Amino acid sequence: MKEMMGIINLSASTEKLKNLTEIRTIGSIPIGGRYRVIDFTLSNMVNSGMSNIAICTQGKARSLYDHIGSGKYWDLDRKKDGLYYFHPEASSIDIVQKKGDIEIFNSMLSYIKGSKQEYVFLSRSYMICNADFSEMLDQHKSTDADITILYKRMNNHVRRFIDCDTINIDEHDDIISIGKNLGKKKYYNVSMEMYIMKRELLIDMIEESIHLGDVDFLKQCIFKQIGDLKVKGYAFEGYLACINSIQNYYKTNMDMLLPEVQKELFHSDGLIYTKIKDEPSTFYADDSFTSNSLVSSGCIIEGIVENSILSRGVHVKKGAIVRNSVVMQNAKIDETANINYMILDKNVSIGEKRVFNGDADHPFVIAKNAKV
Amino acid sequence: MRRFKKEMIGMILAGGQGSRLKEITRRIAKPAVPFGGKYRIIDFALSNCANSEIDTVGILTQYEPYILNTHVGIGSPWDLDRQHGGVRVLPPYYNQSGGRWYKGTANAIYENLQFIERYEPEYVLILSGDHIYNMDYAKMLAFHKQKKAEVTIAVKGVTMEEATRFGILSADDNDKIYDFSEKPAQPKSTNASMGIYIFNWQLLKEALIDDENDEKSSNDFGKNIIPKLLNDNADIFAYEFDGYWRDVGTVESLWEANMDLLDRTSDLDLFSDVWRVYSANTISPPQFIAPTANVEESIVNDGCIIEGNVRKSIISTQVKIGKDANITESVVMPNAVIEEDVVLHKTIVMSGAVVKANTVVEGSTGNIIIVTGEE
């Protein structure tokens, strides 16, 4: 499928992820042990056959550049097409609160115009799933749609998609309107904020919006044209999570302990790629105990680890207890320390005998490099 | 500075069959045999080169090269994908005087004189692709220069009974070698050659040409080149290496070297930040230790799903271990599937083997059993 290009727009509100995004973009938050949030979207695009992908960064993007680099691990270090970065000059607050994404797309218009693919796939970075977008393109073509929006039908008692866009559709999967999920409705269709359209249509919409100056966001522009354009929904059936709050981040990590979620995300045909590190295999000491946990390579486990997600190079010392926690790269938990319902950012060091307890609904975050 | 000139280049001998590894090397060259969870044996020699800042390496291949070639690739894991130098796989080839296999270790280098000459090296480092050790070749080169040696051989103390398996040498107080015998029945010392040599390139070149012209020679470094040079009074010095080093040529020694990794006080520290052992990484998720699992005193790599009990074992990439399986003192190679209620003790499970439910295989010290999945 060389006929579709991809654009990942990282601009997003990070208000509810504050502790994790003070130093990084949403896309580069470590998740699931080895991964960063953006790995899922980027790998899905590559697995769907896209080889011309643009990433529009926002704010503190150093860790994102460091992680993705030339795109080598996604086979995107190409002579023809490959990976392109765009870094908007305006500040992130301007984009999220004032200017909107039309401004971002306008700033990369010459790249979009110069690309050769007939279709464009627009996405954000924070949706976690393992999906083949080529099936979505097939439907887009067979239904003669102008725009296709990916969605998943949800039952709100899980309350995982508050503040996400929703779409309202009729019985033919035609989209009637785009709204927001306030958590009041029992059933709703959460928009995955992934759109397919012809590249020419995107260019027209951007130029028209800039010319008229009437809308700031692409979705407003689409909404405005429902009726004139054929806007279709595509129902995604697989596992979906959205990283838009600390609670959702924590719960998504914990979802990865479920065998069926693991199987779908990590052991199906489409592999999730990430930056390679040269860690040795993980060492489990005599008298250590590990249960129901996802453990990355390079860890040394001498204590107790239960219901937790460990990134690469984590050291759990003798007598230390790690339960129901997400522990990022190179964190160290010293002798007889005890943590429960915690999120430890990279390089955090928990001192001997220290005890930290969060709550299942409000896990507590310890910031990067902290020694406590 | 001349564009292609290198002070020292490395040549890794990786063509041997490794017949003493039995089933394990049926479809794979010995240097490509999986080791220690995530590695293949040749990773140690290649990583030593990378960490010693040797950026030009030739790998001599012959026996079952496919997996080895795939693993080495263009050398990216070792930063050996270079514009100048880098890694080259050197198989036997056909030319105007006909086609032939490498006759021995010395002949393999002889057939690639052209490759070496391109880099105009001062020194050539000859390595084996089947040893487990972390060694700084830069220190050995400094020793070679300081002694004004023509040849330097790395040596390691072994026990008297082991000595009959190695090239054994005797050196004077100044480390100058005066006696060398390959696999002697009555060893005169316990200083074993590690099969790691630094040669002055001009001397090696002449020795290889002489050796090739000697029809009686078996074209081997240990049997022919070194004894001949010693006989000619070349300045050959012994460089003593006191770190961890294992030749993993037999099923027993391969198993033992794997078990050595479980000793965290060993001086082969895979967790070292300053001396990383690099390997071609697979795309695998983190390992999942299920609620039913019990893993102790073991090494487990990425992509594994462990539901059973694992003790004193090495579990490689993407291995599945079913419920109530008991794996003890075993080495499980990549992609193996061990079903429920399997009992394995003192075994090596081959790559991709599927061990059916309820299978029981119990080896013993001195009789490590290779599990192929056809039990």
Side-chain angles (χ1 to χ4, degrees):
Chain A
M1 193 192 58
K2 304 285 180 204
E3 56 193 326
M4 189 152 75
M5 61 182 288
I7 298 175
I8 302 177
N9 175 12
L10 278 141
S11 70
S13 165
T14 56
E15 188 60 28
K16 291 180 176 171
L17 281 161
K18 230 177 194 169
N19 291 320
L20 296 174
T21 51
E22 264 167 13
I23 49 160
R24 54 170 84 91
T25 62
I26 291 184
S28 48
I29 300 174
I31 189 167
R34 310 186 71 189
Y35 304 96
R36 305 277 181 145
V37 169
I38 198 171
D39 290 348
F40 292 86
T41 302
L42 195 54
S43 301
N44 286 337
M45 284 180 163
V46 169
N47 290 335
S48 305
M50 290 178 226
S51 59
N52 179 19
I53 296 174
I55 297 178
C56 314
T57 60
Q58 174 203 341
K60 293 184 172 157
R62 190 207 61 82
S63 64
L64 187 88
Y65 295 132
D66 178 59
H67 179 70
I68 300 175
S70 63
K72 182 177 172 170
Y73 302 113
W74 292 263
D75 272 350
L76 287 172
D77 53 337
R78 305 282 185 96
K79 281 189 183 173
K80 191 171 161 240
D81 289 335
L83 187 67
Y84 296 84
Y85 289 107
F86 292 89
H87 194 84
E89 285 158 33
S91 76
S92 52
I93 288 170
D94 273 356
I95 288 159
V96 176
Q97 294 169 3
K98 296 176 195 157
K99 285 188 175 162
D101 55 5
I102 291 286
E103 192 63 43
I104 297 174
F105 295 131
N106 187 43
S107 73
M108 59 192 285
L109 203 55
S110 61
Y111 160 75
I112 299 172
K113 283 181 170 173
S115 291
K116 303 279 185 288
Q117 288 77 11
E118 187 178 358
Y119 296 92
V120 56
F121 183 91
L122 297 168
S123 177
R124 315 302 286 255
S125 67
Y126 43 70
M127 291 287 176
I128 304 290
C129 62
N130 189 335
D132 183 353
F133 303 137
S134 58
E135 290 168 14
M136 188 182 165
L137 178 62
D138 290 343
Q139 186 204 288
H140 179 78
K141 286 187 205 164
S142 67
T143 56
D144 281 326
D146 292 307
I147 297 170
T148 299
I149 302 178
L150 207 57
Y151 72 90
K152 185 173 156 96
R153 186 152 176 76
M154 297 303 301
N155 176 340
N156 210 14
H157 70 248
V158 285
R159 300 185 65 83
R160 291 280 287 274
F161 295 91
I162 305 283
D163 290 343
C164 284
D165 287 354
T166 55
I167 58 167
N168 301 306
I169 49 174
D170 65 16
E171 64 277 20
H172 306 295
D173 257 350
D174 284 322
I175 292 178
I176 305 161
S177 63
I178 303 174
K180 212 170 211 32
N181 174 32
L182 299 175
K184 300 259 163 81
K185 289 267 195 305
K186 189 154 188 245
Y187 294 98
Y188 60 99
N189 299 313
V190 60
S191 164
M192 292 166 72
E193 297 183 62
M194 296 176 186
Y195 308 102
I196 286 183
M197 65 187 83
K198 284 217 165 110
R199 191 168 52 88
E200 292 302 331
L201 176 61
L202 177 65
I203 294 167
D204 287 348
M205 289 202 298
I206 296 165
E207 289 185 333
E208 190 66 12
S209 301
I210 295 287
H211 175 71
L212 294 174
D214 58 344
V215 292
D216 296 324
F217 290 92
L218 190 71
K219 67 182 177 200
Q220 295 174 326
C221 183
I222 293 170
F223 190 26
K224 209 179 63 164
Q225 298 194 58
I226 286 175
D228 298 333
L229 295 175
K230 193 169 176 186
V231 186
K232 283 273 184 188
Y234 176 93
F236 176 69
E237 305 287 345
Y239 172 82
L240 179 71
C242 178
I243 309 301
N244 62 358
S245 68
I246 296 282
Q247 285 79 7
N248 280 341
Y249 167 78
Y250 175 79
K251 285 181 175 147
T252 304
N253 271 288
M254 290 300 143
D255 283 348
M256 291 177 188
L257 293 176
L258 303 170
E260 63 274 16
V261 174
Q262 255 176 44
K263 196 171 170 208
E264 182 181 332
L265 288 182
F266 303 132
H267 297 281
S268 64
D269 287 341
L271 294 171
I272 306 302
Y273 311 101
T274 190
K275 185 183 179 182
I276 279 165
K277 305 249 167 78
D278 291 279
E279 299 286 351
S281 305
T282 284
F283 179 75
Y284 296 85
D286 193 11
D287 282 336
S288 67
F289 178 76
T290 309
S291 178
N292 197 32
S293 294
L294 212 47
V295 183
S296 306
S297 50
C299 294
I300 298 175
I301 298 175
E302 297 168 299
I304 294 170
V305 178
E306 279 183 288
N307 309 325
S308 294
I309 315 286
L310 269 53
S311 292
R312 292 181 272 209
V314 170
H315 192 168
V316 180
K317 293 196 175 171
K318 218 169 165 55
I321 300 171
V322 176
R323 286 198 177 104
N324 308 306
S325 294
V326 177
V327 184
M328 295 186 204
Q329 210 176 307
N330 295 326
K332 205 168 80 194
I333 297 101
D334 280 349
E335 280 86 353
T336 64
N338 187 335
I339 65 166
N340 197 4
Y341 296 110
M342 298 291 293
I343 297 170
L344 307 189
D345 207 325
K346 284 173 74 176
N347 307 326
V348 162
S349 180
I350 305 285
E352 270 179 48
K353 295 182 190 164
R354 300 298 304 270
V355 177
F356 289 94
N357 278 306
D359 178 88
D361 291 323
H362 295 280
F364 187 55
V365 181
I366 297 186
K368 187 176 170 182
N369 300 332
K371 295 202 182 345
V372 289
Chain B
M1 197 187 185
R2 278 168 294 181
R3 188 186 296 169
F4 295 111
K5 170 107 182 135
K6 300 283 178 188
E7 186 185 29
M8 182 159 82
I9 71 168
M11 299 293 276
I12 302 180
L13 299 163
Q17 182 179 352
S19 55
R20 288 174 301 158
L21 284 172
K22 301 175 188 168
E23 268 303 288
I24 294 171
T25 50
R26 189 163 64 90
R27 301 297 308 276
I28 189 171
K30 181 158 69 162
V33 167
F35 180 84
K38 72 168 287 186
Y39 308 100
R40 294 187 186 271
I41 295 170
I42 198 171
D43 290 342
F44 290 83
L46 278 170
S47 300
N48 286 341
C49 286
N51 287 324
S52 305
E53 296 186 359
I54 295 169
D55 63 9
T56 307
V57 180
I59 302 180
L60 291 309
T61 62
Q62 178 153 292
Y63 176 80
E64 284 284 351
Y66 166 66
I67 294 172
L68 181 60
N69 289 351
T70 306
H71 181 69
V72 172
I74 57 166
S76 321
W78 305 273
D79 264 352
L80 287 171
D81 50 338
R82 302 287 181 109
Q83 299 280 6
H84 300 299
V87 73
R88 293 287 178 278
V89 174
L90 304 167
Y93 56 91
Y94 204 96
N95 63 9
Q96 287 187 339
S97 50
R100 56 221 170 268
W101 298 107
Y102 293 148
K103 291 179 283 177
T105 52
N107 175 252
I109 306 292
Y110 171 82
E111 292 283 1
N112 291 287
L113 289 181
Q114 216 186 346
F115 167 80
I116 301 174
E117 292 215 295
R118 176 183 162 87
Y119 298 103
E120 303 171 46
E122 301 296 318
Y123 311 100
V124 174
L125 172 69
I126 307 287
L127 302 168
S128 291
D130 51 5
H131 295 163
I132 305 297
Y133 64 118
N134 286 348
M135 178 174 177
D136 189 347
Y137 304 133
K139 284 185 185 160
M140 182 169 167
L141 180 61
F143 173 91
H144 181 85
K145 289 178 186 167
Q146 182 219 327
K147 295 288 183 185
K148 296 192 168 56
E150 290 177 300
V151 184
T152 297
I153 304 178
V155 302
K156 170 95 189 145
V158 294
T159 64
M160 208 41 141
E161 42 185 40
E162 285 177 317
T164 56
R165 293 202 288 123
F166 293 100
I168 295 299
L169 46 85
S170 307
D172 65 18
D173 291 345
N174 189 33
D175 302 316
K176 189 163 185 246
I177 298 172
Y178 60 86
D179 186 72
F180 181 93
S181 47
E182 183 70 8
K183 296 178 183 146
Q186 320 278 237
K188 286 181 199 159
S189 81
T190 52
N191 288 327
S193 161
M194 295 163 64
I196 298 166
Y197 313 101
I198 291 176
F199 284 93
N200 287 357
W201 167 232
Q202 286 310 320
L203 176 88
L204 175 63
K205 188 175 159 186
E206 286 161 25
L208 289 172
I209 293 168
D210 286 350
D211 180 67
E212 188 63 19
N213 292 330
D214 178 358
E215 285 182 6
K216 279 176 271 170
S217 171
S218 51
N219 310 108
D220 184 88
F221 274 97
K223 285 187 205 130
N224 310 102
I225 301 283
I226 300 295
K228 173 85 177 3
L229 286 172
L230 200 58
N231 211 29
D232 293 349
N233 288 318
D235 291 325
I236 308 182
F237 284 80
Y239 173 75
E240 201 172 323
F241 178 68
D242 57 7
Y244 180 94
W245 176 79
R246 286 289 181 280
D247 175 338
V248 286
T250 63
V251 176
E252 251 65 33
S253 62
L254 178 66
W255 178 85
E256 276 168 22
N258 270 289
M259 290 300 133
D260 286 345
L261 297 176
L262 299 178
D263 176 9
R264 292 275 302 127
T265 59
S266 157
D267 58 2
L268 184 78
D269 183 9
L270 297 176
F271 284 84
S272 166
D273 288 330
V274 292
W275 202 273
R276 264 286 132 100
V277 182
Y278 303 98
S279 189
N281 288 272
T282 55
I283 301 147
S284 310
Q287 54 202 268
F288 180 60
I289 311 295
T292 52
N294 190 9
V295 182
E296 276 184 80
E297 269 195 284
S298 293
I299 283 174
V300 183
N301 201 33
D302 293 330
C304 291
I305 300 177
I306 313 284
E307 296 177 333
N309 304 308
V310 177
R311 193 170 182 93
K312 288 194 178 171
S313 294
I314 310 290
I315 313 296
S316 310
T317 318
Q318 292 186 339
V319 166
K320 289 190 176 66
I321 296 181
K323 280 186 194 126
D324 297 315
N326 277 298
I327 315 302
T328 50
E329 297 181 51
S330 290
V331 177
V332 184
M333 290 186 175
N335 303 308
V337 177
I338 295 171
E339 296 181 352
E340 294 180 11
D341 297 299
V342 166
V343 176
L344 300 176
H345 180 69
K346 293 204 164 144
T347 61
I348 296 179
V349 181
M350 302 237 317
S351 299
V354 178
V355 185
K356 294 268 172 259
N358 301 308
T359 304
V360 177
V361 182
E362 293 182 306
S364 59
T365 308
N367 182 32
I368 302 302
I369 298 176
I370 298 167
V371 179
T372 59
E374 282 146 26
E375 283 69 24

